[in-house]
């Protein structure tokens, strides 16, 4: 599988256009949360309509995954916790969204919601345990927050990650975890776009203000992952140990 990871587009429509333009080069395009922006002057409901149309259009070109992030929450569940109701399973036809599981070739995909409290956290824990029992081949999680105490959750002054994700990854050992949330990590000293938790590779593409988003291209067959941004490009080989500094990648 050749996949594209982007996250934290925050209603940057030129970046959605860029993704649409390259989507047919990939077997999978994954949006790891925060497709919307609660600080935008555009009403959240209008953003949902527009972004949902983008996601549906992308399904004409490739398989699409979209998990929720903290900016995507638009409703409250019966327990009072906030949810992204527009990304509930089946709400965007053809798109894998919160709670979904799918198998694409020999790769299993689990899409996790942004949890807003103990009920949501427990649901995600149950989802991962259920999917662990049926996974086939390589297993990929799409999960907005990066792991805590990791270079991929480093803001430049503190870690801003998810300790539960660390625990779940160590328990279930997925092959890849596709995250976002902490925009600065790849661009700060001490931060990075890539880390490993045991045998699990974790990516966070970060966020850049440009017509194209910073992004990660991962290939489960070639066993590579390449991060690209205005700051340059780097590459890791997924069948080798992670070493730092990460190697620079120069496109041929």
């Amino acid at each position: 599988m050749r996949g594209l990871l982007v996250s934290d587009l925050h209603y940057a429509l030129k970046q959605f256009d860029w993704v649409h333009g390259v989507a047919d080069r990939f077997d999978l395009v994954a949006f790891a949360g925060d497709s919307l922006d609660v600080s935008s002057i555009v009403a959240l409901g209008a953003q949902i309509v527009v972004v949902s149309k983008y996601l549906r259009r992308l399904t004409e070109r490739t398989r699409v995954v979209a998990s929720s992030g903290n900016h995507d929450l638009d409703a409250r569940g019966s327990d009072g916790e906030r949810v992204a109701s527009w990304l509930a399973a089946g709400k965007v036809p053809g798109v894998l969204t919160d709670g979904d599981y799918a198998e694409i070739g020999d790769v299993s995909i689990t899409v996790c919601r942004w949890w807003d409290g103990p009920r949501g956290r427990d649901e995600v824990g149950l989802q991962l345990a259920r999917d662990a029992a049926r996974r086939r081949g390589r297993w990929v999680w799409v999960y907005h927050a990066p792991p805590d105490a990791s270079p991929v959750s480093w803001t430049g002054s503190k870690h801003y990650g998810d300790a539960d994700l660390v625990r779940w990854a160590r328990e279930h050992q997925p092959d890849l975890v596709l995250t976002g949330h902490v925009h600065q990590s790849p661009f700060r000293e001490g931060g990075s776009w890539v880390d490993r938790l045991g045998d699990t590779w974790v990516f966070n593409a970060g966020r850049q203000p440009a017509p194209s988003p910073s992004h990660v291209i991962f290939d489960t067959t070639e066993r590579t992952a390449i991060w690209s941004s205005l700051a340059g490009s780097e590459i890791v080989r997924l069948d080798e140990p992670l070493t730092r500094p990460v190697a620079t990648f120069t496109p041929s």
Side-chain angles (χ1 to χ4, degrees), residues 36-234:
L36 309 184
D37 191 339
V38 296
S39 64
S40 172
I41 61 172
V42 180
L44 205 64
Q47 292 183 50
I48 290 170
V49 170
V50 172
V51 171
S52 296
K53 287 182 178 178
Y54 269 103
L55 296 177
R56 289 197 300 271
R57 286 176 57 209
L58 280 167
T59 64
E60 300 170 1
R61 302 174 70 81
T62 190
R63 293 295 298 269
V64 182
V65 173
S67 70
S68 59
N70 49 302
H71 276 253
D72 299 318
L73 308 179
D74 66 324
R76 289 192 181 272
S78 58
D79 53 14
E81 294 180 3
R82 294 183 300 162
V83 298
S85 65
W86 67 285
L87 286 176
K91 282 297 186 71
V92 187
V95 179
L96 299 173
T97 55
D98 291 354
D100 276 336
Y101 170 88
E103 295 170 358
I104 303 174
D106 65 347
V107 178
S108 297
I109 309 288
T110 293
V111 190
C112 300
R113 58 176 281 192
W114 174 270
W115 53 266
D116 187 49
R119 178 76 174 272
R121 180 194 60 209
D122 292 348
E123 288 180 356
V124 171
L126 291 172
Q127 173 191 11
L128 294 173
R130 180 185 67 241
D131 291 355
R134 58 178 173 171
R135 61 172 289 189
R136 295 172 56 191
R138 305 193 190 281
W139 192 14
V140 178
W141 298 359
V142 185
Y143 190 106
H144 181 55
D148 198 22
S150 164
V152 295
S153 63
W154 179 244
T155 68
S157 60
K158 66 178 182 178
H159 290 286
Y160 199 61
D162 187 323
D164 290 285
L165 176 59
V166 176
R167 175 172 57 85
W168 287 325
R170 286 176 175 163
E171 178 182 0
H172 299 301
Q173 300 181 41
D175 294 277
L176 305 179
V177 181
L178 313 181
T179 75
H181 190 49
V182 183
H183 304 170
Q184 310 96 322
S185 297
F187 307 104
R188 295 290 187 266
E189 184 176 356
S192 182
W193 63 275
V194 60
D195 198 14
R196 285 189 76 166
L197 300 175
D199 291 332
T200 298
W201 289 90
V202 185
F203 306 136
N204 171 11
R207 185 187 183 209
Q208 65 181 12
S212 62
S214 49
H215 57 277
V216 175
I217 296 172
F218 58 94
D219 194 313
T220 63
T221 302
E222 297 294 328
R223 306 297 291 151
T224 59
I226 300 169
W227 172 73
S228 295
S229 76
L230 295 178
S233 296
E234 295 179 348

